[in-house]
Amino acid sequence: MIADGWNVLVFPEGTRSKDGWMGEFRMGAARLCLENGIPAVPIALRGTYQSMPRGRGWPKPGRLPVNVRFGEPVRPEDGELPPDFAARMRAALELLLEEDRTTWYEALKRDATGDLTPATGPKAAAWRRIWDAGEPVADPVHARRAWPR
């Protein structure tokens, strides 16, 4: 498909999260990019755990918001190894998730100071991680209004 010019969507974790937080990356997506000399476009998805947690075969009823944010392409460097490229992909994805939680500028400031919120979630008991990940995603259409009512 890549040779024919198709875009391929690969989730680097390989599965849906058990608790709603980002898991460990597998090397398949990084290896695919490196072997074919193609960039990876990070896509941050927030709200997917709330709308369709692992174990469900169909989304929950209603229109639960899911935020989608596209980042700048991450291009492979000459001689780069899959773990190094996967780390750069992960950093780009964490920046996008921070941007979705805050603002573009705030995310850049936090990235520059090393204060990004870990996308792997808090170090806590499983029930607490699920509780934190289950917080509803703000509806961007109604949450951010350009003009006050």
Side-chain angles (χ1 to χ4, degrees):
M1 290 178 75
I2 291 171
D4 290 339
W6 286 84
N7 294 318
V8 179
L9 177 64
V10 178
F11 290 90
E13 297 163 284
T15 185
R16 285 187 283 173
S17 168
K18 292 179 183 179
D19 59 11
W21 295 98
M22 188 178 354
E24 289 297 317
F25 277 25
R26 297 175 185 233
M27 294 300 116
R31 184 175 298 276
L32 187 68
C33 291
L34 290 170
E35 289 176 0
N36 291 286
I38 56 174
V41 177
I43 303 171
L45 302 169
R46 281 192 57 230
T48 56
Y49 182 75
Q50 293 85 345
S51 63
M52 190 171 159
R54 188 172 178 177
R56 287 189 64 100
W58 197 255
K60 289 182 178 179
R63 292 190 171 211
L64 298 169
V66 174
N67 293 353
V68 180
R69 192 171 294 266
F70 295 88
E72 294 290 324
V74 180
R75 300 183 188 288
E77 296 174 355
D78 291 335
E80 191 169 24
L81 298 173
D84 299 328
F85 189 67
R88 290 195 309 121
M89 289 189 327
R90 182 182 193 88
L93 189 54
E94 286 180 334
L95 180 63
L96 278 178
L97 289 167
E98 186 73 26
E99 181 181 325
D100 194 65
R101 277 190 287 275
T102 60
T103 64
W104 169 78
Y105 184 68
E106 185 66 29
L108 288 180
K109 285 192 330 186
R110 289 183 183 183
D111 185 36
T113 59
D115 293 333
L116 288 178
T117 304
T120 54
K123 293 186 179 189
W127 70 268
R128 180 59 195 214
R129 290 175 54 82
I130 292 170
W131 177 280
D132 286 345
E135 183 179 338
V137 175
D139 184 356
V141 173
H142 298 102
R144 300 177 190 153
R145 297 187 58 87
W147 303 101
R149 291 184 178 179

